Structures are given as structure tokens and as C-alpha cells.
Amino acid sequence: MPALRLLRTAAATLAFASTLLTAGGANATGTMNGWEISLSGQSPAESLMSVSTVNADLAWAAGRTAGHGVIMRWDGETWSEDTAPGLPDVWEWSSVSAVSADDVWAYGTVERDQALVHYDGRRWTSVPTTGPTDDSWPEVPVAAVPGRLFKGGKALYTYSDGEWATFALPAMTHIRDIEALSADDAYATGMQYPVDGGHPVTYHWDGTTWTLLDEAPVPAGTDTAEIAVESPDSVYVAGWAQPDVDPPVPSVVHWNGSSWKDVTGALADLYLDAIVPDGRGGLWATGTDKAAPAFSDPVFWHFDGTTWTREDGTTASDGETRWPSYSFYDLAPVDDGSGAFWAVGDYQAPMDEHGDQAVHGLIERSTIPATG
């Protein structure tokens, strides 16, 4: 699930500023190293922050363009803007979570207000939310399962049968990502800030309350913001630290139900913004690669349970080639039985004759599962 990543690095700040420019819509295809482009070019979205799948023929992605929110929908063949009635005008849709074709949730922000909507298969309906807007990390995560919705931010919120319940958190604690296995089994991660002097937090929901797990053993200065859950005995938490001069230092730790283990291994030089179980005991990870300080190629990392392998994504045909800038913010399984995954984010196009540079929404799909 995404947090406010676009404001955390110089490269990301440039991308954020560029999203105020105009970009339109078209699908493109291409293949390299097991990843193909499903959406690029002048699409309805300039940046996509979240993706969620129902099945091989139905998925949603959420983001923004030119200062207002956009939700994209996959129909089994193409990605196009969701035009179902009822969506309010927001600055950004930052999180989407789909349970079924008629049970989809999306969270967004507009100015200092938050927006929550539900899709019933025909239209989107605004749902009253609870708690204050998280001004520090407005890209609040939501996770939906049959019978319950989970929301992060300055507290942990659960929604069921039309009622909200709030679990208060210590001061300066922000929940940055949530994953749920069922209505009675969910996990959330984030930080008790500041990063320097604070510490990561990971909570488990048992159907009644949230319980704080042992502190994840990440290096000091690591901002934990991502969680991926295979089972109660296999939970990954990830984040990254930003040294003064060196590239970002990612960290991934694994919870086996009773203790943590650092599994970062060879993973390096990555603003780590998305992780997802690969369905075979391993993990996919991506974000913004900074192996070369001045630019960022599309990069994915695969963990087979023992070893990390770096894998190139596909470059867009209209992308900047001298100083490429690619970022991915979320991953989700395609759910077509192939073991394929969606990755959503954005990339920069070359400067035009006026010296302006556009940012375009990007969706890639893995075509050959890693065999590591």
C-alpha cells in the first residue's frame, strides 16, 4: 500500500511537481525480462499509487492526474478510466482495495479532508469516515475483506456493519500499510516518529483488538512503511533509510509467528515502496532504484526465501532515455493462475520544445514468474 513517497526524495519531488503537467491516455505494449507494459503513454493517470485485483479480468488502480484523482479499471484486455457514477472530486485516490466485483473501496484526499468511497457494482457511494486527516502521511492505507474494512493513519480503524471502531495509538505513531487475511486476521505496520529516535511498529488484529508485536529489527533510521502477509506464520515488513550521501538502504524483515529475522540480503540502492508475497514462499519488491544516483531505471527484486535477484522492468517507448526516471508504488497478483503480478507507478517523458517534462502513469505486468 502507498504512503507519501513522492515527497521523500529529490527525484520523487521532481516527479510530484511534474504531475501538475498534462498527460492523456493510451495503452502500449512491450516485453523485456519477464515484464510487459500494460499502460503507458498519455493515459488518464499521471501517477498510480495503488492496485487491487478481483480476478484475471477485473482489477482497479488508483492515482491522480493534473491535481485530481483517477481510478483505472482492468477489464481483462485493457486499462481504462473508471467512469461509474458517484466518484467525488479529490486531489488523489491513494489506496484501493477490491473484495469482489461489487465490493470495492477507495481512499483519497482533497485539501485537508479525506474521502472514502465504496463501489457496489453499479456506482460509487461516499462513506463517512472517522478520525482526523493524517497531515503527515495523507496517503492512508485501506484494506478490505468480506465483512470488514481496515484503515490506517494516526490510529487503527475498523469498519463493519456501518459502524467504525477506533484503536488509539501512541503519539506520533502513523500506520502506513495494512494487509488482511480475513475479517479476524489482519496486520498493520508503520512508525512511531521521528525516524531518528523513533521505532517501527507492527500490530496484529485478532477480530477483537489490535496487539503490538515485538519490534521489527531494522537498522536505526529505517522508515518502515510496507507490509506483506502470506499467513500468520509469514509476515514481511519493509522500509528504507536515507543516509546523508549514500544511496537509500532498504530493509526487509520476516516474522515467523514468534520472532523476526532480517532477510534483506543483497537487496540494495532502493527506495522500497512495495512488497508482495510471490505465492511460492518468496517475495517481490520494487520502488525507485537508485543504483545510479542521477536516474532510476524500472527495477524489480525477487526473493526466493534465500536469495535476492535483481530484475529489469520494461522501459516505455516514450520514456526519457538519457535520464530515465521510473518509480513503482504498489504490487498485486494478477490472479489468473499464472503467478503474474501487476506493478503500478509512473515515469518521465523527455522534455518538449518548451522545456517541460510530463509524468505518465505506468502499469507493468510480469509474464514469467521468477524461478530463483
Side-chain angles (χ1 to χ4, degrees), residues 88-170:
D89 188 15
V90 300
W91 176 73
E92 175 186 74
W93 295 109
S94 59
S95 185
V96 63
S97 185
V99 179
S100 64
D102 57 3
D103 188 5
V104 186
W105 296 84
Y107 178 91
T109 52
V110 53
E111 296 180 349
R112 296 179 64 86
D113 294 327
Q114 50 188 332
L116 180 67
V117 292
H118 178 258
Y119 179 68
D120 63 5
R122 296 172 299 170
R123 63 176 293 114
W124 294 91
T125 302
S126 293
V127 177
T129 188
T130 190
T133 301
D134 193 330
D135 294 332
S136 297
W137 308 108
E139 293 177 346
V140 164
V142 295
V145 291
R148 198 177 303 274
L149 176 73
F150 301 92
K151 182 171 90 70
K154 293 183 178 180
L156 279 159
Y157 307 96
T158 58
Y159 182 78
S160 181
D161 297 324
E163 299 290 336
W164 285 100
T166 301
F167 182 84
L169 298 172

Side-chain angles (χ1 to χ4, degrees), residues 198-219:
H199 58 84
V201 295
T202 306
Y203 287 88
H204 175 241
W205 167 260
D206 63 5
T208 302
T209 190
W210 293 92
T211 301
L212 182 65
L213 301 184
D214 294 342
E215 185 176 321
V218 298

Side-chain angles (χ1 to χ4, degrees), residues 14 18 21-22 320 348-359:
L14 175 60
S18 298
L21 302 174
T22 301
E320 173 63 69
Q348 290 184 354
M351 289 185 181
D352 61 20
E353 65 272 18
H354 306 293
D356 295 328
Q357 194 168 38
V359 174

